[in-house]
Amino acid sequence: MLIVIIVLAVMIGVEPSTVLLGVMLLMALMLILMTGFFIICSLWLIGSKKCSGKLSKVDDHPRFKFPAAYYEIDGEVYPNIFPCEMILKNWLYAPDRQCRVRLNKKKSIVFDGNAYFCVILGIILGAASLVFLAAEIGYIWHF
């Protein structure tokens, strides 16, 4: 759909640099939203408590319909906030495995090692990509 809009804009005479600027601004908006999501997740992670959990199963998340790891903590089962890693699933999610997790009871979610990695890497890569994209937008804007 976006390609059709770009082709039509070029066909009616819009400058290619203006079209490129529009696409880059749209990319910047998506990066801002993505980085914001990871920042919110980091706040949830900071507000959670350390505890020991036992992996009970890997099943579809009831709200988001992606496969997630479920951890049993104090007799209750909580889903991981992020989807489970499918490539290393058998190695990372061994049945009845005890591991250190962070539980956010308010949100009823768990952060395991995979989730830590996703949050930290998401913030770093999202922010770096946004900085580089902003520099490129600034270059095109003044060109």
Side-chain angles (χ1 to χ4, degrees):
M1 172 102 171
L2 186 61
I3 294 174
V4 172
I5 293 171
I6 292 170
V7 169
L8 288 175
V10 171
M11 287 175 60
I12 62 171
V14 177
E15 289 290 320
S17 63
T18 305
V19 173
L20 179 62
L21 183 63
V23 169
M24 292 179 89
L25 288 173
L26 184 63
M27 288 172 54
L29 176 65
M30 289 188 296
L31 276 171
I32 289 169
L33 293 174
M34 181 186 73
T35 307
F37 167 75
F38 285 114
I39 290 170
I40 289 170
C41 285
S42 72
L43 295 175
W44 290 344
L45 181 61
I46 291 168
S48 61
K49 70 173 191 164
K50 291 180 184 178
C51 54
S52 180
K54 182 175 81 169
L55 181 69
S56 64
K57 64 180 177 178
V58 175
D59 199 6
D60 285 344
H61 195 283
R63 249 178 85 193
F64 303 113
K65 306 298 184 224
F66 56 73
Y70 285 80
Y71 292 92
E72 184 178 332
I73 302 166
D74 298 331
E76 293 189 46
V77 178
Y78 299 96
N80 189 7
I81 188 168
F82 288 107
C84 69
E85 176 62 45
M86 297 307 289
I87 295 172
L88 302 172
K89 182 178 173 183
N90 293 335
W91 184 70
L92 290 174
Y93 304 107
D96 296 328
R97 178 179 163 201
Q98 283 289 119
C99 51
R100 301 288 295 162
V101 295
R102 293 187 68 100
L103 172 64
N104 187 319
K105 274 201 171 195
K106 191 174 188 181
K107 297 287 182 186
S108 294
I109 53 174
V110 170
F111 291 89
D112 62 3
N114 185 34
Y116 297 156
F117 184 70
C118 288
V119 170
I120 292 168
L121 200 62
I123 290 173
I124 292 169
L125 292 178
S129 298
L130 194 55
V131 166
F132 289 129
L133 186 61
E136 192 64 31
I137 288 171
Y139 176 74
I140 290 174
W141 192 279
H142 295 295
F143 189 76

